Amino acid sequence: STTVGRLVTGDCNGGVHLWEPKEGGGWALEANSNGGGFTGHQASVEDLQWSPSEAGVFASASADRSICIWDVRQRNKPALRVAAHDDDVNVISWSPI
């Protein structure tokens, strides 16, 4: 399950950012211990998908040819990073198995 209202976004510089809804409206950008977002990609983040079974876990795909699995409790590095392709990785999806 996911947390209602939680949003994860990627940028063209390889950054991944977690946004939490603020009480009363608006969004709060959650930062890691270095003051930024999740650190792990070296190029544009192309796709992000929340885990269908773990509320605090998501995957990211990047033009740096990698896929990362993230836990929102550990933002300074991915839980898993895989060199996934010889070219950009543009789309990612969780397997239902």
Side-chain angles (χ1 to χ4, degrees), residues 4 7 13-15 20 24-25 27 29 36-38 54 58 60 62 70 77-79 82 91 94:
V4 175
L7 176 67
N13 297 316
E20 299 280 1
W27 295 93
L29 179 59
F38 294 79
E54 298 291 329
F58 65 92
S60 59
S62 174
W70 303 90
K77 65 177 184 174
V82 177
V91 179
W94 289 91

Side-chain angles (χ1 to χ4, degrees), residues 12 35 42 45 71 77:
C12 293
Q42 315 307 307
V45 175
D71 184 323
K77 65 177 184 174

